Amino acid sequence: MAVNNVSGTSNPYEGSTYVAGSNSKNTLTIESFVRLLATQLQNQDVTNPMESSDMMNQMTQMAMVQALSAMTESVSANSAMNSITYAAGMVGKEVTVAVTTENSMGVPIISGSKTGIVETINLTGGEPTFRLQGDTKDYPLSYLLGIGDVTDSVDDSNQSGEDLGGGGEVGGDTGESEGNEDITN
């Protein structure tokens, strides 16, 4: 008798994660904290009552958690606004983006680069994406390699030795430095 795919996936080594969403039952708010504190005070042992310093420590910790949560939300909102502003400022500019292909594991890997003029910005997803003129693919901001044609810089910094594409001269530069003197000591 053969047993096939005992695990729930075709790849038994594939990892999975579960993140519980927050709801009223697993999130502690200041109101629920005050209720908990009041219940604790009502049901405390009269021979060994809670000290006021313990109660103040708990209230201070709850206030700190709330302040950190508010600060985290503020930083996230600010970061999202910065990404949107940056993406919107790219419209009409020449950029170089990474062109990717998926490997056998489904992970995108850089297979080249492409230069073009940013035509549109899409802000409807989680991360802003942009589209180049004459191209139907949406590129996330994380695929941006540089403003302008930086394909030579990408080729020079490629440590693996694979061709990232491009290879053309930037602005027709012949490799000679114009107007720069050789400084030697």
Side-chain angles (χ1 to χ4, degrees):
M1 176 176 181
V3 177
N4 294 328
N5 290 337
V6 173
S7 70
T9 64
S10 60
N11 182 357
Y13 302 106
E14 183 178 327
S16 63
T17 59
Y18 174 76
V19 178
S22 62
N23 60 34
S24 62
K25 293 183 180 181
N26 67 2
T27 304
L28 184 65
T29 63
I30 192 69
E31 293 171 11
S32 56
F33 174 74
V34 170
R35 284 188 197 131
L36 182 64
L37 186 60
T39 304
Q40 184 178 4
L41 289 173
Q42 286 175 349
N43 297 318
Q44 68 181 337
D45 183 10
V46 288
T47 61
N48 187 15
M50 177 191 299
E51 293 188 27
S52 60
S53 63
D54 290 340
M55 187 171 23
M56 290 304 293
N57 285 338
Q58 290 179 1
M59 292 180 81
T60 302
Q61 288 174 355
M62 186 63 188
M64 287 176 56
V65 167
Q66 278 191 318
L68 286 173
S69 296
M71 187 173 66
T72 301
E73 288 176 14
S74 176
V75 167
S76 295
N78 191 19
S79 176
M81 184 55 73
N82 286 341
S83 294
I84 290 169
T85 304
Y86 182 73
M90 290 184 352
V91 174
K93 292 201 169 50
E94 182 182 37
V95 297
T96 303
V97 296
V99 177
T100 60
T101 56
E102 289 188 0
N103 66 7
S104 61
M105 301 289 286
V107 177
I109 57 170
I110 295 177
S111 61
S113 64
K114 181 176 187 174
T115 302
I117 301 209
V118 177
E119 184 175 51
T120 61
I121 303 294
N122 183 357
L123 303 174
T124 58
E127 178 183 5
T129 59
F130 59 94
R131 188 173 287 181
L132 302 178
Q133 286 179 350
D135 194 352
T136 59
K137 182 176 179 186
D138 287 330
Y139 297 96
L141 282 179
S142 59
Y143 283 31
L144 182 67
L145 298 175
I147 305 294
D149 185 356
V150 296
T151 53
D152 284 341
S153 298
V154 172
D155 288 339
D156 292 342
S157 67
N158 182 14
Q159 302 297 322
S160 64
E162 67 181 353
D163 183 21
L164 291 178
E169 297 293 323
V170 177
D173 187 23
T174 61
E176 299 173 7
S177 60
E178 298 175 6
N180 293 332
E181 297 178 18
D182 186 21
I183 301 173
T184 56
N185 291 342

Coordinates of all heavy atoms in Angstrom, one line a residue, residues 113-185:
S113 N 19.1 44.3 -17.1 CA 18.6 45.6 -16.7 C 18.1 46.3 -17.9 O 18.3 45.8 -19.0 CB 19.8 46.4 -16.1 OG 20.8 46.7 -17.1
K114 N 17.2 47.2 -17.7 CA 16.5 47.9 -18.8 C 16.5 49.4 -18.4 O 16.2 49.8 -17.3 CB 15.1 47.4 -18.9 CG 14.3 48.0 -20.0 CD 13.0 47.2 -20.2 CE 12.3 47.8 -21.4 NZ 11.1 47.0 -21.6
T115 N 16.7 50.2 -19.4 CA 16.6 51.7 -19.3 C 15.4 52.2 -20.0 O 15.2 51.8 -21.2 CB 17.9 52.3 -19.8 OG1 19.0 51.8 -19.0 CG2 17.9 53.8 -19.6
G116 N 14.7 53.1 -19.5 CA 13.6 53.7 -20.1 C 13.1 54.9 -19.3 O 13.6 55.3 -18.3
I117 N 12.1 55.6 -19.9 CA 11.5 56.8 -19.3 C 10.2 56.3 -18.5 O 9.4 55.6 -19.1 CB 11.1 57.8 -20.4 CG1 12.4 58.2 -21.0 CG2 10.4 59.0 -19.8 CD1 12.6 59.5 -21.6
V118 N 10.1 56.8 -17.3 CA 8.9 56.4 -16.5 C 7.7 57.1 -17.0 O 7.7 58.4 -17.2 CB 9.1 56.8 -15.0 CG1 7.9 56.6 -14.2 CG2 10.3 56.1 -14.4
E119 N 6.7 56.3 -17.4 CA 5.5 56.9 -18.0 C 4.3 57.0 -16.9 O 3.7 58.0 -16.9 CB 5.0 55.9 -19.1 CG 3.8 56.4 -19.9 CD 3.5 55.5 -21.0 OE1 3.4 54.3 -20.8 OE2 3.4 56.0 -22.1
T120 N 4.1 56.0 -16.1 CA 3.0 56.0 -15.1 C 3.5 55.5 -13.8 O 4.5 54.7 -13.7 CB 1.8 55.2 -15.6 OG1 2.2 53.8 -15.7 CG2 1.3 55.7 -16.9
I121 N 2.8 55.9 -12.8 CA 3.0 55.4 -11.4 C 1.7 54.8 -10.9 O 0.6 55.4 -11.1 CB 3.4 56.5 -10.4 CG1 4.7 57.2 -10.9 CG2 3.6 56.0 -9.0 CD1 5.9 56.4 -10.9
N122 N 1.7 53.6 -10.3 CA 0.5 52.9 -9.8 C 0.6 52.9 -8.3 O 1.5 52.3 -7.7 CB 0.4 51.5 -10.4 CG -0.9 50.8 -9.9 OD1 -1.7 51.4 -9.2 ND2 -1.1 49.6 -10.4
L123 N -0.3 53.6 -7.6 CA -0.3 53.7 -6.2 C -1.4 52.8 -5.5 O -1.6 52.9 -4.3 CB -0.5 55.1 -5.8 CG 0.5 56.1 -6.3 CD1 0.1 57.6 -6.0 CD2 1.9 55.8 -5.8
T124 N -2.0 51.9 -6.3 CA -3.1 51.2 -5.7 C -2.7 50.0 -4.9 O -3.5 49.5 -4.1 CB -4.1 50.7 -6.8 OG1 -3.3 49.9 -7.7 CG2 -4.7 51.8 -7.6
G125 N -1.5 49.5 -5.1 CA -1.0 48.3 -4.3 C -0.4 48.7 -3.0 O -0.4 49.9 -2.6
G126 N 0.3 47.8 -2.3 CA 1.0 48.1 -1.1 C 2.2 48.9 -1.4 O 2.5 49.9 -0.6
E127 N 3.0 48.6 -2.4 CA 4.2 49.3 -2.8 C 3.9 50.0 -4.1 O 3.4 49.4 -5.0 CB 5.4 48.4 -2.9 CG 6.6 49.1 -3.3 CD 7.8 48.1 -3.4 OE1 7.7 46.9 -3.3 OE2 8.9 48.6 -3.7
P128 N 4.3 51.3 -4.3 CA 4.1 51.9 -5.6 C 4.9 51.2 -6.7 O 6.0 50.7 -6.4 CB 4.6 53.3 -5.4 CG 4.6 53.5 -3.9 CD 4.8 52.2 -3.3
T129 N 4.3 51.1 -7.8 CA 5.0 50.5 -9.0 C 5.0 51.5 -10.1 O 4.2 52.5 -10.1 CB 4.3 49.2 -9.5 OG1 2.9 49.5 -9.8 CG2 4.3 48.1 -8.4
F130 N 5.9 51.4 -11.0 CA 6.0 52.3 -12.2 C 6.1 51.5 -13.5 O 6.4 50.3 -13.5 CB 7.1 53.3 -12.0 CG 8.5 52.6 -11.9 CD1 9.3 52.4 -13.0 CD2 9.0 52.2 -10.7 CE1 10.5 51.8 -12.9 CE2 10.2 51.6 -10.6 CZ 11.0 51.4 -11.7
R131 N 5.7 52.1 -14.6 CA 5.8 51.5 -15.9 C 6.6 52.4 -16.8 O 6.5 53.6 -16.8 CB 4.3 51.3 -16.4 CG 4.3 50.5 -17.7 CD 2.9 50.3 -18.1 NE 2.3 49.3 -17.2 CZ 1.1 48.8 -17.3 NH1 0.3 49.2 -18.2 NH2 0.7 47.9 -16.4
L132 N 7.4 51.8 -17.6 CA 8.3 52.5 -18.6 C 7.5 52.7 -19.9 O 6.6 51.9 -20.2 CB 9.6 51.8 -18.8 CG 10.4 51.5 -17.6 CD1 11.7 50.7 -18.0 CD2 10.8 52.8 -16.9
Q133 N 7.9 53.7 -20.6 CA 7.2 53.9 -21.9 C 7.5 52.7 -22.8 O 8.6 52.2 -22.9 CB 7.8 55.2 -22.6 CG 7.3 56.5 -22.0 CD 7.9 57.7 -22.7 OE1 8.8 57.6 -23.5 NE2 7.4 58.9 -22.3
G134 N 6.4 52.3 -23.5 CA 6.5 51.1 -24.4 C 6.6 49.8 -23.7 O 6.9 48.8 -24.4
D135 N 6.5 49.7 -22.4 CA 6.6 48.5 -21.7 C 5.3 48.2 -20.9 O 4.7 49.2 -20.3 CB 7.7 48.6 -20.7 CG 8.1 47.2 -20.1 OD1 7.4 46.2 -20.3 OD2 9.2 47.2 -19.4
T136 N 4.8 47.0 -20.9 CA 3.5 46.7 -20.2 C 3.7 46.2 -18.8 O 2.8 45.9 -18.1 CB 2.7 45.7 -21.0 OG1 3.5 44.5 -21.2 CG2 2.3 46.3 -22.4
K137 N 5.0 46.0 -18.4 CA 5.3 45.4 -17.0 C 5.3 46.5 -16.0 O 5.9 47.6 -16.2 CB 6.6 44.7 -17.1 CG 6.9 44.0 -15.8 CD 8.2 43.2 -15.9 CE 8.5 42.6 -14.5 NZ 9.7 41.9 -14.5
D138 N 4.8 46.3 -14.8 CA 4.9 47.2 -13.7 C 6.1 46.7 -12.9 O 6.2 45.6 -12.5 CB 3.6 47.1 -12.8 CG 2.4 47.8 -13.5 OD1 2.7 48.8 -14.2 OD2 1.3 47.4 -13.2
Y139 N 6.9 47.7 -12.6 CA 8.2 47.4 -11.8 C 8.0 48.1 -10.4 O 7.6 49.2 -10.2 CB 9.4 48.1 -12.4 CG 9.7 47.5 -13.8 CD1 9.3 48.1 -14.9 CD2 10.5 46.4 -13.9 CE1 9.6 47.6 -16.2 CE2 10.8 45.8 -15.2 CZ 10.3 46.5 -16.3 OH 10.6 46.0 -17.5
P140 N 8.2 47.3 -9.3 CA 8.2 47.9 -8.0 C 9.4 48.8 -7.7 O 10.4 48.7 -8.4 CB 8.2 46.7 -7.0 CG 8.8 45.6 -7.8 CD 8.5 45.9 -9.3
L141 N 9.3 49.7 -6.8 CA 10.4 50.7 -6.5 C 11.6 49.9 -6.1 O 12.7 50.4 -6.4 CB 10.0 51.6 -5.4 CG 9.1 52.8 -5.8 CD1 8.8 53.7 -4.6 CD2 9.7 53.6 -6.9
S142 N 11.5 48.8 -5.6 CA 12.7 48.0 -5.1 C 13.5 47.5 -6.3 O 14.7 47.1 -6.2 CB 12.3 46.8 -4.3 OG 11.4 46.0 -5.0
Y143 N 13.0 47.5 -7.6 CA 13.7 47.1 -8.7 C 14.4 48.3 -9.4 O 15.1 48.1 -10.4 CB 12.7 46.5 -9.8 CG 12.3 45.1 -9.5 CD1 12.2 44.6 -8.2 CD2 12.0 44.2 -10.5 CE1 11.8 43.3 -7.9 CE2 11.6 42.9 -10.2 CZ 11.5 42.5 -8.9 OH 11.1 41.2 -8.7
L144 N 14.3 49.5 -8.9 CA 15.0 50.6 -9.4 C 16.5 50.5 -9.1 O 16.9 50.4 -8.0 CB 14.4 51.9 -8.8 CG 15.0 53.2 -9.3 CD1 14.6 53.5 -10.7 CD2 14.5 54.4 -8.4
L145 N 17.3 50.6 -10.1 CA 18.7 50.5 -10.0 C 19.4 51.9 -10.0 O 20.4 52.1 -9.4 CB 19.4 49.7 -11.1 CG 18.9 48.2 -11.2 CD1 19.5 47.5 -12.4 CD2 19.3 47.5 -9.9
G146 N 18.7 52.9 -10.6 CA 19.3 54.2 -10.7 C 18.5 55.1 -11.5 O 17.7 54.7 -12.4
I147 N 18.7 56.4 -11.3 CA 18.1 57.4 -12.2 C 19.0 57.7 -13.3 O 20.2 57.9 -13.1 CB 17.8 58.7 -11.4 CG1 17.0 58.5 -10.1 CG2 17.1 59.8 -12.3 CD1 15.6 58.0 -10.4
G148 N 18.5 57.6 -14.5 CA 19.4 57.7 -15.7 C 19.8 56.3 -16.2 O 19.4 55.3 -15.7
D149 N 20.7 56.3 -17.2 CA 21.2 55.0 -17.7 C 22.5 54.6 -16.9 O 23.5 55.2 -17.1 CB 21.6 55.2 -19.2 CG 22.0 53.9 -19.9 OD1 22.1 52.9 -19.2 OD2 22.2 53.9 -21.1
V150 N 22.3 53.7 -16.0 CA 23.4 53.3 -15.2 C 23.8 51.8 -15.5 O 24.3 51.1 -14.6 CB 23.1 53.4 -13.7 CG1 22.9 54.9 -13.3 CG2 21.8 52.6 -13.3
T151 N 23.5 51.4 -16.7 CA 23.8 50.0 -17.0 C 25.3 49.6 -16.9 O 25.6 48.5 -16.5 CB 23.2 49.6 -18.4 OG1 23.8 50.5 -19.4 CG2 21.7 49.6 -18.5
D152 N 26.2 50.6 -17.3 CA 27.6 50.3 -17.1 C 28.0 50.1 -15.7 O 28.8 49.2 -15.3 CB 28.4 51.4 -17.8 CG 28.4 51.3 -19.3 OD1 28.1 50.3 -19.8 OD2 28.8 52.4 -19.9
S153 N 27.4 50.9 -14.8 CA 27.7 50.8 -13.4 C 27.2 49.5 -12.8 O 27.8 48.9 -12.0 CB 27.1 51.9 -12.6 OG 27.6 53.2 -13.0
V154 N 26.0 49.0 -13.3 CA 25.5 47.8 -12.9 C 26.4 46.6 -13.4 O 26.7 45.7 -12.6 CB 24.1 47.6 -13.4 CG1 23.5 46.2 -13.2 CG2 23.1 48.6 -12.9
D155 N 26.9 46.7 -14.6 CA 27.8 45.7 -15.1 C 29.1 45.6 -14.3 O 29.6 44.6 -14.0 CB 28.1 45.9 -16.6 CG 26.9 45.6 -17.5 OD1 26.0 44.9 -17.0 OD2 26.9 46.1 -18.6
D156 N 29.6 46.8 -14.0 CA 30.9 46.9 -13.2 C 30.8 46.3 -11.8 O 31.7 45.7 -11.3 CB 31.4 48.3 -13.2 CG 31.8 48.8 -14.6 OD1 32.0 48.0 -15.5 OD2 31.9 50.0 -14.7
S157 N 29.6 46.5 -11.2 CA 29.4 46.1 -9.8 C 28.9 44.7 -9.7 O 28.7 44.2 -8.6 CB 28.5 47.0 -9.1 OG 27.2 46.9 -9.6
N158 N 28.7 44.0 -10.8 CA 28.1 42.6 -10.8 C 29.2 41.7 -10.3 O 30.2 41.4 -11.0 CB 27.6 42.2 -12.2 CG 27.0 40.9 -12.2 OD1 26.7 40.3 -11.1 ND2 26.8 40.3 -13.3
Q159 N 29.1 41.1 -9.1 CA 30.2 40.2 -8.6 C 30.1 38.8 -9.1 O 31.1 38.1 -9.1 CB 30.1 40.2 -7.1 CG 30.2 41.6 -6.4 CD 31.5 42.2 -6.7 OE1 32.5 41.6 -6.7 NE2 31.5 43.5 -6.9
S160 N 29.0 38.4 -9.6 CA 28.8 37.0 -10.0 C 29.4 36.7 -11.4 O 29.5 35.6 -11.8 CB 27.4 36.5 -10.0 OG 26.6 37.3 -10.9
G161 N 29.6 37.8 -12.1 CA 30.2 37.6 -13.5 C 29.1 37.4 -14.5 O 29.5 37.4 -15.7
E162 N 27.9 37.3 -14.2 CA 26.8 37.1 -15.2 C 26.5 38.5 -15.8 O 26.6 39.5 -15.2 CB 25.6 36.5 -14.6 CG 24.9 37.3 -13.7 CD 23.6 36.7 -13.1 OE1 23.3 35.6 -13.5 OE2 23.0 37.2 -12.2
D163 N 26.2 38.5 -17.1 CA 25.8 39.7 -17.8 C 24.5 40.2 -17.4 O 23.5 39.5 -17.5 CB 25.9 39.4 -19.3 CG 25.6 40.7 -20.1 OD1 25.8 41.8 -19.6 OD2 25.2 40.6 -21.3
L164 N 24.4 41.4 -16.9 CA 23.1 42.0 -16.5 C 22.5 42.8 -17.6 O 21.5 43.4 -17.4 CB 23.3 42.9 -15.3 CG 23.7 42.2 -14.0 CD1 23.9 43.2 -12.9 CD2 22.6 41.2 -13.6
G165 N 23.0 42.7 -18.8 CA 22.4 43.4 -19.9 C 23.0 44.8 -20.0 O 23.9 45.2 -19.3
G166 N 22.4 45.6 -20.9 CA 22.9 46.9 -21.2 C 24.2 46.9 -21.9 O 24.2 46.5 -23.1
G167 N 25.3 47.2 -21.3 CA 26.6 47.1 -21.9 C 27.0 48.2 -22.8 O 28.1 48.4 -23.3
G168 N 26.1 49.1 -23.1 CA 26.3 50.3 -23.9 C 27.1 51.4 -23.2 O 27.2 51.4 -22.0
E169 N 27.7 52.3 -23.9 CA 28.4 53.4 -23.3 C 27.4 54.4 -22.8 O 26.4 54.7 -23.4 CB 29.3 54.0 -24.3 CG 30.4 53.1 -24.9 CD 31.4 52.7 -23.8 OE1 31.7 53.6 -22.9 OE2 31.8 51.6 -23.8
V170 N 27.6 54.9 -21.6 CA 26.8 55.9 -21.1 C 27.1 57.3 -21.7 O 28.2 57.8 -21.6 CB 26.9 56.0 -19.5 CG1 26.1 57.1 -19.0 CG2 26.6 54.7 -18.9
G171 N 26.1 57.8 -22.4 CA 26.3 59.1 -23.0 C 27.4 59.2 -24.1 O 27.9 60.3 -24.3
G172 N 27.8 58.1 -24.6 CA 28.8 58.1 -25.7 C 30.2 58.3 -25.1 O 31.1 58.7 -25.8
D173 N 30.4 58.1 -23.8 CA 31.7 58.3 -23.2 C 32.7 57.3 -23.7 O 32.4 56.1 -23.8 CB 31.5 58.2 -21.7 CG 32.8 58.5 -20.9 OD1 33.6 59.3 -21.5 OD2 33.0 58.1 -19.8
T174 N 33.9 57.7 -24.1 CA 34.9 56.8 -24.6 C 35.8 56.3 -23.6 O 36.8 55.6 -23.9 CB 35.7 57.5 -25.8 OG1 36.4 58.6 -25.2 CG2 34.8 57.9 -26.9
G175 N 35.6 56.7 -22.4 CA 36.5 56.2 -21.3 C 37.6 57.2 -21.0 O 38.3 57.1 -20.0
E176 N 37.7 58.3 -21.8 CA 38.7 59.3 -21.5 C 38.0 60.4 -20.6 O 36.9 60.7 -20.8 CB 39.2 60.0 -22.8 CG 39.9 59.0 -23.7 CD 40.2 59.7 -25.1 OE1 40.0 60.9 -25.2 OE2 40.6 59.0 -26.0
S177 N 38.8 60.8 -19.6 CA 38.2 61.9 -18.8 C 38.4 63.2 -19.4 O 39.5 63.6 -19.7 CB 38.8 61.8 -17.4 OG 40.2 62.0 -17.4
E178 N 37.4 64.0 -19.6 CA 37.5 65.3 -20.2 C 37.4 66.3 -19.1 O 36.6 66.4 -18.3 CB 36.3 65.5 -21.2 CG 36.3 64.6 -22.3 CD 35.0 64.7 -23.2 OE1 34.3 65.7 -22.9 OE2 34.8 63.9 -24.1
G179 N 38.4 67.2 -19.1 CA 38.4 68.3 -18.2 C 39.0 67.9 -16.8 O 39.0 68.7 -15.9
N180 N 39.3 66.6 -16.6 CA 39.8 66.2 -15.3 C 41.3 66.0 -15.4 O 41.7 65.3 -16.3 CB 39.1 64.9 -14.9 CG 37.7 65.0 -14.6 OD1 37.3 66.1 -14.2 ND2 36.9 64.0 -14.7
E181 N 42.1 66.6 -14.6 CA 43.5 66.4 -14.6 C 43.9 65.2 -13.8 O 43.3 65.0 -12.8 CB 44.2 67.7 -14.1 CG 43.9 68.9 -14.9 CD 44.5 70.2 -14.3 OE1 45.4 70.0 -13.5 OE2 44.1 71.3 -14.7
D182 N 45.0 64.6 -14.2 CA 45.5 63.5 -13.4 C 46.3 64.1 -12.3 O 47.3 64.8 -12.5 CB 46.4 62.6 -14.3 CG 46.9 61.4 -13.6 OD1 46.3 61.0 -12.6 OD2 47.9 60.8 -14.0
I183 N 45.9 63.8 -11.0 CA 46.6 64.4 -9.9 C 47.5 63.3 -9.3 O 47.0 62.3 -8.8 CB 45.6 64.9 -8.8 CG1 44.7 65.9 -9.5 CG2 46.3 65.4 -7.6 CD1 43.6 66.4 -8.5
T184 N 48.8 63.6 -9.3 CA 49.7 62.6 -8.7 C 50.6 63.4 -7.7 O 50.9 64.5 -7.8 CB 50.6 61.9 -9.7 OG1 51.3 63.0 -10.5 CG2 49.8 61.1 -10.6
N185 N 51.0 62.7 -6.6 CA 51.9 63.3 -5.6 C 53.3 62.9 -5.8 O 53.7 61.8 -6.0 CB 51.4 63.0 -4.2 CG 50.1 63.8 -3.9 OD1 49.7 64.7 -4.6 ND2 49.4 63.3 -2.9

